[in-house]
Amino acid sequence: VKRARLAGAVACFAGLVALPACEAKRPSGAAFDADSVAEGFAASTAALMCPGASRAFQVEPGGDLFNGEWAVRLRASEVAGPAGPPRVVAYERRWLPVAHWTRRGPHVRWDFEAVARPIGPPADTALYVSLAVSAVNLDRVSEDANLDIVLEYPTARPPFTVFDAAEPPRPSLHWAGSGDGVAWGWSEAPASGDRVRVHWSLAPGERRGTRVVLPSEAVSARTLRGLARDGHDREVTTARREWTETLGRGTRFALRDSAVEDAVRGAEVVLLSCRERRGRLWVPIGNPFQYRDVWLRDGARAVSALAVAGFVGEARDLTRGLLQFQWPQGPFLSQRGQLDGTGQALWAFEQAWLRGSPPDSIAEYADAARRAWRWNEWQRDLGRRSGWPFGTMMPFGDPRDGELVRAQLVGNDAWMLAGYRAASRLLRAAGRNDDAAAVESSAALYGADFARSLSASGARDVPPSWQGVGRDWGNVAVAWPCMALPARDPRCAAFAERLWATSGDGLVTYGTRDSLHGYLGADLGTWAQLAGRRDDADRALDALLRWRSASGGGAEIFTREGDYGTNLPPHATTAAALVALVRNSLVFDDDDTLRLTLGARERWWSGTSVERAPTRWGTLDLAFRATSARAEWHWTAVPVWTALRLPPHMRLARELPAGLRAGRTPDEILAPPGAKEASVAIVAQVAPGR
Amino acid sequence: VAAAAALAALAGLGWLRGPRSADRPFRAGAPAAAQEEFSRAFLLNRDGHFVESLPHLQAAMAAGGDESAQAHFAYGLALYSAGFQVRRTPWPVPALRSSFERATFARTAIAEFDRAGRLTTDPSLRTEIAHRYATVTQAWGLDWETLSALRAMESGAPGSTDAARRASAFAELMRAPNRYALDAVPVAP
């Protein structure tokens, strides 16, 4: 403790002495041009977030910061007037969470660089933001530049709040002084009360900077001084290194397509950051701002995406959190009326625990799955005896979410069927073959009831509810990931075409024709891959890539002009959708065949490698490439058949080599269990009509 | 099916009031400390401070009220209702942090109702517990559990047309969930 105090005192003294020098130092982010980064939305924002932290700061479109309780106003001006808002708020390479934005005045350019760091190890705790601000005089004469950094409570209802904000009368916000009291920020420059005021007289071409440290919760001034000790450049360097190392632990996608690779990295940052702690448990949250809550429907997607992206440990940790949502009689519920939670929880368990290295034991999850299955079989039995039209399907729900209706929802049954499949796999993995067989037998009956109900509904595709009412939501997952219908079922195609016809985009609309939904239609992309509709799958991926912020985040719902209103990005489920679609296009392992290059894009065939991909048959490496005459695959052998899809617009040039078989479609080849490479002669398809 | 009866109970999914009186939730001879804590909890509950009432209810049970069906019932009601409580900070936010806490509280409420049901021999309290159990399960969307509880109420009170009407209305709602408003489900007279 004494050593820490001494270090703190030395740092404090050094900070005071070094202040003028600090101001003259060129901040690390000054060379990064945020405005060069593409922004998908009308308003550019970024999240300053950390895994395990219970709050985050948003860099707002105007360039201020807000954490759900108080704002940090950054008022930059020169004699000729205030600086304008930033055009773009960007992460480095659109994924690495060091945020940059630039504001411009008539003669002075202001550069901002911010990074979030955890206070202490990942825990149910706070974070702090290290923010460096610099101004450069672009004029030929000297310019006076002023920067006020003000801590302020919002005066109107903000787009998001935090559950533990101070209740009125709220304490006065102020910067850390030399004492030990609670403070809301630390500044390199002198501060008074809630305000830091910096004035620079800049010679032509001169740049000067300053730095503040902003905690997400009020902490002691001493803690703030300690947090500020390392300096901004070191904080940024550490964040870059840690995030690079963290993502390096996951599956490596080397596609020779940096846009897609960086998009996947950005999605992984969102998924890893959208996790909170509850004691020793981790739980997935919807986003770092307005969706700081747990939904099984979103959490299951996050678990699956993390697992397939190689973060199996994190995915499994999240399932321990989801396990807490099981009710004594068996169902899983996170929100009132959302009955899809049971199937989703079981699916999430399977996704996390049956991929990658075999766990020591999954007895707990097998037990939970069996209880859930028994509960639903109890319901189905009561429903069967009721004689009601859809009595064997799940009862009505009023989810107060996307479906916007009280009805028996088709998606609930589709997810429960996925849950049955997961339960049988978990039970088999736990060595409980009799229980697994019982689940499989009831799943066959349930599937048949599902098909009969679809016929009885009178719908030509897949309706939102058995009663036919409601908005398309859970039913979008019927073909994938639920696989309640085969991909080539005509209903699936009719359904996708209905949704795409309305949107005219790779995404789908929600509510109004002017809207686009960030993740709802992404499942149709994987369905399109499975159904051999490569161009449709590509459109879905193109749309997911396009509708991202400069900080790599997707939104939930927005207009076609990119206005998301107060439904702020980044949304974890949109991130999960992107990861799932890219991964499934390379490695798909949800059924009993390993499917490789299912939706690999033409560009990726110049030589792609995927390393450390967790699958249901162990961790897999894959490499593939193609020339105009030959396609080659090398992969880790698995004990099941492997389906290989040819490059786009190519077909086999001659008979298959010995050991390989033709697949279900002309562009699919089957390799037997144990195979680890294949090479076939190919030739370009002749387009119809030529 | 004849007259349409407005069954407001089916729509009453918000927070639940606890016991109507702070008096005598415990048997004669229970420690005064238990009674005192219960009374404090009652006052907090009355004003909608369910989360704040929970420590007092826990203390009441720890102080000797653990065998009181009323205390467990009140604790279950407060736990469930806490999921609807709102704080003003200065903008309204749920009193509980997230669904993790809300679901835990609701599940615990169900367990407390079960405990209360096992502890009491009073038919009217049993009916009341079944009624509240059904409210909780209905609010969370557990329809078959709700119908089972309503039918248990009906069989526990053979002479009660109200119990029979509730069960009948809910069954009709399950059969045709989108046809009626919650408070206008037709039932047999």
Side-chain angles (χ1 to χ4, degrees):
Chain A
V1 173
K2 277 183 184 170
R3 190 182 301 167
R5 280 185 185 157
L6 181 63
V10 169
C12 185
F13 177 72
L16 289 172
V17 170
L19 194 56
C22 283
E23 288 199 345
K25 195 168 63 180
R26 184 184 175 87
S28 64
F32 182 86
D33 181 11
D35 291 353
S36 68
V37 180
E39 168 62 61
F41 297 111
S44 189
T45 62
L48 298 167
M49 54 191 176
C50 283
S54 58
R55 293 183 179 189
F57 275 100
Q58 186 201 34
V59 184
E60 298 178 321
D64 293 339
L65 274 62
F66 180 62
N67 71 352
E69 185 172 12
W70 70 84
V72 182
R73 306 281 177 220
L74 295 153
R75 294 173 184 146
S77 64
E78 57 190 280
V79 174
R87 192 181 74 77
V88 167
V89 183
Y91 281 174
E92 295 175 3
R93 294 171 60 194
R94 215 175 175 184
W95 73 265
L96 205 160
V98 178
H100 298 259
W101 63 104
T102 296
R103 297 173 60 185
R104 290 179 169 81
H107 308 294
V108 176
R109 193 182 79 211
W110 299 82
D111 293 308
F112 299 80
E113 179 182 80
V115 65
R117 305 284 300 141
I119 296 180
D124 183 12
T125 185
L127 57 76
Y128 65 100
V129 168
S130 179
L131 169 66
V133 186
S134 69
V136 59
N137 178 7
L138 305 175
D139 204 358
R140 292 178 183 171
V141 296
S142 292
E143 285 288 343
D144 284 347
N146 295 298
L147 176 67
D148 281 2
I149 310 177
V150 184
L151 303 170
E152 192 175 278
Y153 288 116
T155 51
R157 186 180 181 124
F160 69 99
T161 56
V162 287
F163 82 101
D164 56 350
E167 292 192 51
R170 296 181 294 191
S172 299
L173 302 170
H174 59 82
W175 295 87
S178 56
D180 285 340
V182 169
W184 286 259
W186 172 92
S187 168
E188 187 178 72
S192 173
D194 62 0
R195 187 172 301 257
V196 171
R197 175 160 286 174
V198 180
H199 170 79
W200 294 311
S201 186
L202 300 170
E206 185 184 7
R207 176 187 291 274
R208 301 188 76 180
T210 191
R211 181 205 181 200
V212 293
V213 170
L214 306 164
S216 60
E217 295 171 28
V219 295
S220 74
R222 175 180 297 181
T223 301
L224 278 169
R225 287 192 293 272
L227 296 173
R229 193 176 304 146
D230 277 348
H232 180 76
D233 287 354
R234 190 163 167 185
E235 296 282 19
V236 169
T237 302
T238 304
R240 287 185 184 126
R241 189 190 69 242
E242 287 183 358
W243 274 110
T244 302
E245 286 173 359
T246 297
L247 298 199
R249 286 194 287 106
T251 301
R252 179 170 174 269
F253 297 98
L255 311 174
R256 302 197 181 190
D257 185 343
S258 61
V260 174
E261 291 170 19
D262 287 346
V264 169
R265 290 187 187 104
E268 290 171 352
V269 167
V270 171
L271 290 165
L272 290 166
S273 299
C274 287
R275 294 178 299 147
E276 279 188 359
R277 301 297 302 257
R278 294 293 187 278
R280 290 180 302 131
L281 298 171
W282 286 89
V283 291
I285 58 170
N287 97 339
F289 306 127
Q290 77 277 13
Y291 290 139
R292 225 168 233 290
D293 200 342
V294 186
W295 288 262
L296 283 165
R297 50 180 54 182
D298 295 280
R301 300 293 192 142
V303 167
S304 174
L306 284 168
V308 299
F311 299 98
V312 172
E314 287 82 354
R316 290 178 179 175
D317 283 344
L318 289 175
T319 64
R320 292 189 182 93
L322 298 187
L323 203 54
Q324 311 306 310
F325 286 92
Q326 187 165 33
W327 289 53
Q329 71 273 35
F332 285 80
L333 285 169
S334 59
Q335 307 281 344
R336 290 188 289 272
Q338 295 185 2
L339 300 182
D340 49 358
T342 304
Q344 286 155 346
L346 270 50
W347 177 75
F349 298 161
E350 175 220 351
Q351 295 286 306
W353 288 95
L354 299 187
R355 283 207 172 91
S357 309
D360 291 338
S361 170
I362 55 163
E364 192 177 10
Y365 295 90
D367 281 341
R370 187 172 181 278
R371 271 210 312 284
W373 164 73
R374 281 178 61 91
W375 168 75
N376 197 53
E377 283 298 296
W378 168 74
Q379 293 198 127
R380 278 176 37 78
D381 183 50
L382 292 173
R384 199 175 291 117
R385 285 189 269 154
S386 74
W388 296 333
F390 298 104
T392 56
M393 297 291 98
M394 292 192 75
F396 76 81
D398 188 357
R400 301 170 182 84
D401 198 356
E403 301 88 341
L404 281 181
V405 75
R406 174 170 18 92
Q408 286 178 273
L409 303 171
V410 172
N412 290 350
D413 288 293
W415 275 109
M416 189 56 87
L417 281 164
Y420 275 39
R421 187 176 68 241
S424 76
R425 287 175 178 173
L426 288 162
L427 287 162
R428 284 209 185 277
R432 294 164 61 173
N433 290 333
D434 290 347
D435 285 336
V439 173
E440 286 155 13
S441 157
S442 60
L445 296 173
Y446 193 2
D449 287 341
F450 184 86
R452 269 194 293 276
S453 297
L454 270 177
S455 299
S457 73
R460 60 178 287 273
D461 50 41
V462 185
S465 70
W466 297 118
Q467 283 74 30
V469 295
R471 292 187 179 184
D472 295 304
W473 187 265
N475 52 333
V476 183
V478 161
W480 189 84
C482 297
M483 298 197 286
L485 288 178
R488 291 179 188 277
D489 188 301
R491 283 181 184 275
C492 297
F495 181 44
E497 281 156 14
R498 172 164 67 83
L499 296 188
W500 286 332
T502 310
S503 73
D505 190 277
L507 303 178
V508 302
T509 62
Y510 178 77
T512 66
R513 296 176 72 90
D514 179 46
S515 70
L516 287 173
H517 197 285
Y519 57 82
L520 182 60
D523 291 342
L524 297 179
T526 293
W527 164 77
Q529 290 172 357
L530 290 166
R533 300 172 59 140
R534 218 190 276 254
D535 291 345
D536 291 328
D538 270 353
R539 284 193 309 125
L541 181 54
D542 283 341
L544 285 172
L545 294 170
R546 176 188 170 199
W547 293 109
R548 286 182 308 127
S549 68
S551 49
E556 188 178 39
I557 305 173
F558 43 91
T559 68
R560 287 166 195 260
E561 287 72 46
D563 182 1
Y564 49 71
T566 56
N567 198 341
L568 308 170
H571 198 288
T573 309
T574 306
L578 192 144
V579 168
L581 190 54
V582 171
R583 194 269 193 180
N584 288 338
S585 67
L586 295 160
V587 178
F588 182 89
D589 63 343
D590 270 345
D591 60 10
D592 293 333
T593 302
L594 172 66
R595 301 184 188 280
L596 302 179
T597 58
L598 194 57
R601 297 180 145 196
E602 201 159 341
R603 172 174 190 174
W604 302 353
W605 284 92
S606 63
T608 277
S609 67
V610 179
E611 294 172 16
R612 301 182 305 279
T615 75
R616 293 177 47 224
W617 304 288
T619 301
L620 179 133
D621 290 341
L622 164 69
F624 60 91
R625 61 180 297 122
T627 63
S628 58
R630 182 157 290 278
E632 294 178 354
W633 298 259
H634 299 267
W635 70 98
T636 309
V638 293
V640 295
W641 283 85
T642 299
L644 308 165
R645 176 143 314 155
L646 298 181
H649 314 302
M650 304 299 277
R651 62 176 174 80
L652 288 170
R654 48 180 170 267
E655 298 260 313
L656 284 168
L660 299 180
R661 288 187 194 170
R664 298 168 305 174
T665 55
D667 62 352
E668 185 182 86
I669 300 162
L670 294 174
K676 55 185 182 183
E677 59 186 18
S679 176
V680 296
I682 54 173
V683 65
Q685 285 176 346
V686 178
R690 282 192 188 173
Chain B
V1 177
L7 292 183
L10 287 184
L13 302 179
W15 52 268
L16 301 170
R17 290 284 184 201
R20 294 178 197 285
S21 163
D23 296 337
R24 291 190 296 282
F26 305 124
R27 290 188 188 121
Q35 181 63 59
E36 194 174 315
E37 292 287 359
F38 187 86
S39 298
R40 283 187 191 146
F42 169 78
L43 294 173
L44 287 164
N45 261 312
R46 191 190 58 186
D47 296 335
H49 299 300
F50 303 105
V51 174
E52 294 76 8
S53 77
L54 295 174
H56 297 287
L57 288 163
Q58 289 163 343
M61 287 187 281
D66 198 39
E67 296 308 311
S68 162
Q70 278 284 10
H72 284 283
F73 184 42
Y75 187 43
L77 290 173
L79 281 165
Y80 168 73
S81 299
F84 294 87
Q85 189 176 327
V86 169
R87 285 198 313 126
R88 302 193 178 279
T89 65
W91 293 280
V93 293
L96 298 184
R97 179 175 176 181
S98 73
S99 67
F100 186 88
E101 290 75 19
R102 285 192 293 277
T104 302
F105 275 39
R107 289 195 311 270
T108 312
I110 291 285
E112 289 297 317
F113 291 166
D114 283 342
R115 182 94 190 265
R118 286 197 303 274
L119 286 169
T120 188
T121 53
D122 175 358
S124 65
L125 181 58
R126 279 201 167 149
T127 301
E128 182 66 9
I129 291 168
H131 175 206
R132 299 304 175 94
Y133 182 101
T135 305
V136 176
T137 53
Q138 189 192 347
W140 279 84
L142 296 167
D143 299 332
W144 283 108
E145 284 86 343
T146 304
L147 186 60
S148 300
L150 292 173
R151 284 181 173 157
M153 277 173 62
E154 185 182 359
S155 59
S160 166
T161 52
D162 185 52
R165 287 158 68 95
R166 283 175 200 275
S168 175
F170 196 74
E172 178 58 16
L173 193 66
M174 287 184 71
R175 192 187 69 78
N178 61 315
R179 189 170 297 171
Y180 314 106
L182 277 179
D183 57 357
V185 183
V187 292

Coordinates of all heavy atoms in Angstrom, one line a residue, chain A residues 445-483:
Chain A
L445 N -42.6 -37.2 -33.6 CA -44.0 -36.9 -33.5 C -44.3 -35.4 -33.5 O -45.3 -35.0 -34.2 CB -44.6 -37.6 -32.2 CG -44.5 -39.1 -32.1 CD1 -45.0 -39.5 -30.7 CD2 -45.4 -39.7 -33.2
Y446 N -43.5 -34.7 -32.8 CA -43.7 -33.2 -32.8 C -43.5 -32.6 -34.1 O -44.3 -31.8 -34.6 CB -42.7 -32.7 -31.8 CG -42.9 -31.2 -31.3 CD1 -43.9 -30.5 -31.7 CD2 -42.0 -30.7 -30.4 CE1 -44.1 -29.2 -31.2 CE2 -42.1 -29.4 -30.0 CZ -43.2 -28.6 -30.4 OH -43.3 -27.3 -29.9
G447 N -42.5 -33.1 -34.8 CA -42.2 -32.6 -36.2 C -43.4 -32.9 -37.1 O -43.8 -32.0 -37.9
A448 N -44.0 -34.1 -37.0 CA -45.1 -34.4 -37.8 C -46.3 -33.5 -37.4 O -47.1 -33.0 -38.3 CB -45.5 -35.9 -37.6
D449 N -46.5 -33.3 -36.1 CA -47.6 -32.3 -35.7 C -47.4 -30.9 -36.3 O -48.3 -30.2 -36.7 CB -47.7 -32.3 -34.2 CG -48.3 -33.5 -33.6 OD1 -49.0 -34.3 -34.3 OD2 -48.1 -33.8 -32.4
F450 N -46.1 -30.5 -36.3 CA -45.7 -29.2 -36.8 C -46.1 -29.1 -38.3 O -46.7 -28.1 -38.7 CB -44.2 -29.0 -36.6 CG -43.7 -27.7 -37.0 CD1 -43.7 -26.6 -36.1 CD2 -43.2 -27.4 -38.3 CE1 -43.2 -25.3 -36.5 CE2 -42.7 -26.2 -38.7 CZ -42.7 -25.1 -37.8
A451 N -45.8 -30.2 -39.0 CA -46.1 -30.2 -40.5 C -47.6 -30.2 -40.7 O -48.1 -29.5 -41.6 CB -45.5 -31.4 -41.1
R452 N -48.3 -30.9 -39.9 CA -49.8 -31.0 -40.0 C -50.4 -29.6 -39.7 O -51.3 -29.1 -40.3 CB -50.4 -32.0 -39.1 CG -50.6 -33.4 -39.7 CD -51.4 -34.3 -38.9 NE -50.8 -34.7 -37.6 CZ -49.9 -35.6 -37.4 NH1 -49.6 -36.4 -38.5 NH2 -49.4 -35.9 -36.3
S453 N -49.8 -29.0 -38.7 CA -50.3 -27.6 -38.3 C -50.1 -26.6 -39.4 O -50.9 -25.8 -39.6 CB -49.7 -27.2 -37.0 OG -50.0 -28.0 -35.9
L454 N -49.0 -26.7 -40.0 CA -48.7 -25.8 -41.2 C -49.7 -26.0 -42.3 O -50.3 -25.0 -42.8 CB -47.3 -26.1 -41.8 CG -46.1 -25.3 -41.2 CD1 -44.8 -25.8 -41.8 CD2 -46.3 -23.8 -41.3
S455 N -50.1 -27.3 -42.5 CA -51.1 -27.5 -43.5 C -52.5 -27.0 -43.1 O -53.2 -26.3 -43.8 CB -51.3 -29.0 -43.8 OG -50.1 -29.5 -44.3
A456 N -52.8 -27.2 -41.8 CA -54.0 -26.7 -41.3 C -54.1 -25.2 -41.2 O -55.2 -24.7 -41.2 CB -54.3 -27.4 -39.9
S457 N -53.0 -24.6 -41.1 CA -53.0 -23.1 -41.0 C -53.6 -22.4 -42.2 O -54.0 -21.3 -42.2 CB -51.6 -22.6 -40.7 OG -50.8 -22.6 -41.9
G458 N -53.5 -23.1 -43.4 CA -53.9 -22.5 -44.6 C -53.0 -21.6 -45.2 O -53.2 -21.0 -46.3
A459 N -51.8 -21.4 -44.6 CA -50.8 -20.4 -45.1 C -50.1 -21.1 -46.3 O -49.8 -22.3 -46.3 CB -49.9 -20.0 -44.0
R460 N -49.6 -20.3 -47.3 CA -48.9 -20.9 -48.4 C -47.4 -20.9 -48.0 O -46.6 -21.6 -48.7 CB -49.1 -20.1 -49.7 CG -48.8 -18.7 -49.7 CD -49.0 -18.1 -51.1 NE -48.0 -18.5 -52.0 CZ -46.8 -17.9 -52.2 NH1 -46.5 -16.8 -51.4 NH2 -46.0 -18.3 -53.1
D461 N -47.0 -20.2 -47.0 CA -45.5 -20.3 -46.6 C -45.4 -20.6 -45.2 O -46.0 -21.7 -44.7 CB -44.8 -19.1 -47.0 CG -45.4 -17.7 -46.6 OD1 -45.9 -17.7 -45.5 OD2 -45.4 -16.8 -47.4
V462 N -44.8 -19.8 -44.4 CA -44.6 -20.1 -43.0 C -45.2 -18.9 -42.2 O -44.6 -17.8 -42.2 CB -43.1 -20.3 -42.6 CG1 -43.0 -20.6 -41.1 CG2 -42.5 -21.3 -43.4
P463 N -46.4 -19.0 -41.6 CA -47.1 -17.9 -41.0 C -46.4 -17.5 -39.7 O -45.7 -18.3 -39.1 CB -48.5 -18.4 -40.8 CG -48.3 -19.9 -40.6 CD -47.2 -20.3 -41.5
P464 N -46.6 -16.3 -39.2 CA -46.1 -15.9 -37.9 C -46.7 -16.6 -36.7 O -46.0 -16.9 -35.8 CB -46.4 -14.4 -37.8 CG -47.1 -14.0 -39.0 CD -47.3 -15.2 -39.9
S465 N -48.0 -17.0 -36.9 CA -48.6 -17.7 -35.8 C -49.5 -18.7 -36.4 O -49.9 -18.6 -37.6 CB -49.4 -16.7 -34.9 OG -50.6 -16.3 -35.6
W466 N -49.9 -19.7 -35.6 CA -50.8 -20.7 -36.1 C -52.2 -20.1 -36.4 O -52.9 -20.6 -37.2 CB -51.0 -21.9 -35.1 CG -49.7 -22.6 -34.8 CD1 -48.9 -22.7 -33.7 CD2 -48.9 -23.3 -35.8 NE1 -47.8 -23.4 -33.9 CE2 -47.7 -23.7 -35.2 CE3 -49.0 -23.5 -37.2 CZ2 -46.7 -24.4 -35.9 CZ3 -48.1 -24.2 -37.9 CH2 -46.9 -24.7 -37.2
Q467 N -52.5 -19.0 -35.7 CA -53.7 -18.3 -36.0 C -53.6 -17.4 -37.2 O -54.6 -16.8 -37.7 CB -54.2 -17.5 -34.8 CG -54.8 -18.3 -33.7 CD -53.8 -19.1 -32.9 OE1 -52.6 -18.7 -32.7 NE2 -54.2 -20.2 -32.3
G468 N -52.4 -17.3 -37.7 CA -52.2 -16.5 -38.9 C -51.9 -15.1 -38.7 O -51.5 -14.3 -39.6
V469 N -52.0 -14.6 -37.5 CA -51.9 -13.2 -37.2 C -50.4 -12.9 -36.7 O -49.7 -13.8 -36.4 CB -52.9 -12.7 -36.1 CG1 -54.3 -12.8 -36.6 CG2 -52.7 -13.5 -34.8
G470 N -50.1 -11.6 -36.6 CA -48.8 -11.2 -36.1 C -47.8 -10.9 -37.1 O -48.1 -11.0 -38.3
R471 N -46.7 -10.4 -36.7 CA -45.6 -10.0 -37.6 C -44.6 -11.1 -37.7 O -44.4 -11.9 -36.8 CB -44.9 -8.8 -37.1 CG -45.7 -7.5 -37.1 CD -45.0 -6.3 -36.7 NE -45.8 -5.1 -36.8 CZ -45.4 -3.9 -36.6 NH1 -44.1 -3.7 -36.3 NH2 -46.2 -2.9 -36.6
D472 N -44.0 -11.2 -38.9 CA -43.0 -12.3 -39.1 C -41.8 -12.0 -38.2 O -41.2 -10.9 -38.2 CB -42.5 -12.2 -40.6 CG -43.6 -12.6 -41.5 OD1 -44.2 -13.7 -41.3 OD2 -44.0 -11.8 -42.4
W473 N -41.5 -13.0 -37.4 CA -40.4 -12.8 -36.4 C -39.8 -14.2 -36.1 O -38.8 -14.6 -36.8 CB -41.0 -12.2 -35.1 CG -39.9 -11.8 -34.2 CD1 -39.4 -12.6 -33.1 CD2 -39.1 -10.6 -34.1 NE1 -38.4 -11.9 -32.4 CE2 -38.2 -10.7 -33.1 CE3 -39.1 -9.5 -34.9 CZ2 -37.3 -9.7 -32.8 CZ3 -38.2 -8.5 -34.6 CH2 -37.3 -8.6 -33.6
G474 N -40.3 -14.9 -35.2 CA -39.7 -16.2 -34.8 C -39.8 -17.2 -36.0 O -39.0 -18.1 -36.1
N475 N -40.8 -17.0 -36.9 CA -41.0 -17.9 -38.0 C -39.9 -17.8 -39.0 O -39.6 -18.7 -39.8 CB -42.4 -17.7 -38.7 CG -42.6 -16.2 -39.1 OD1 -42.1 -15.3 -38.4 ND2 -43.4 -16.0 -40.0
V476 N -39.1 -16.7 -38.9 CA -38.0 -16.5 -39.9 C -36.9 -17.5 -39.6 O -36.1 -17.9 -40.4 CB -37.4 -15.0 -39.8 CG1 -36.3 -14.8 -40.8 CG2 -38.6 -14.0 -40.0
A477 N -36.9 -18.1 -38.3 CA -35.8 -19.0 -37.9 C -36.2 -20.5 -38.2 O -35.5 -21.4 -37.9 CB -35.5 -18.8 -36.4
V478 N -37.4 -20.7 -38.9 CA -37.9 -22.0 -39.0 C -36.9 -22.9 -39.8 O -36.6 -24.1 -39.4 CB -39.3 -22.0 -39.7 CG1 -39.6 -23.4 -40.3 CG2 -40.3 -21.6 -38.7
A479 N -36.4 -22.4 -41.0 CA -35.5 -23.2 -41.8 C -34.1 -23.3 -41.2 O -33.5 -24.4 -41.1 CB -35.4 -22.7 -43.2
W480 N -33.6 -22.2 -40.7 CA -32.3 -22.2 -40.0 C -32.4 -21.1 -39.0 O -32.9 -20.0 -39.4 CB -31.1 -22.0 -41.0 CG -29.9 -22.2 -40.2 CD1 -29.2 -23.4 -39.9 CD2 -29.1 -21.2 -39.5 NE1 -28.2 -23.2 -39.1 CE2 -28.0 -21.8 -38.8 CE3 -29.2 -19.8 -39.4 CZ2 -27.1 -21.1 -38.1 CZ3 -28.3 -19.1 -38.6 CH2 -27.2 -19.8 -38.0
P481 N -32.0 -21.2 -37.8 CA -31.2 -22.4 -37.2 C -32.1 -23.5 -36.7 O -31.6 -24.6 -36.3 CB -30.5 -21.8 -36.1 CG -31.3 -20.6 -35.7 CD -31.9 -20.1 -36.9
C482 N -33.5 -23.3 -36.7 CA -34.3 -24.4 -36.1 C -34.3 -25.7 -36.9 O -34.5 -26.7 -36.4 CB -35.7 -23.8 -35.9 SG -35.7 -22.4 -34.8
M483 N -34.2 -25.5 -38.2 CA -34.3 -26.7 -39.1 C -35.6 -27.5 -38.9 O -35.6 -28.7 -38.9 CB -33.1 -27.6 -39.0 CG -31.8 -26.8 -39.5 SD -30.3 -27.7 -39.8 CE -29.8 -28.2 -38.3

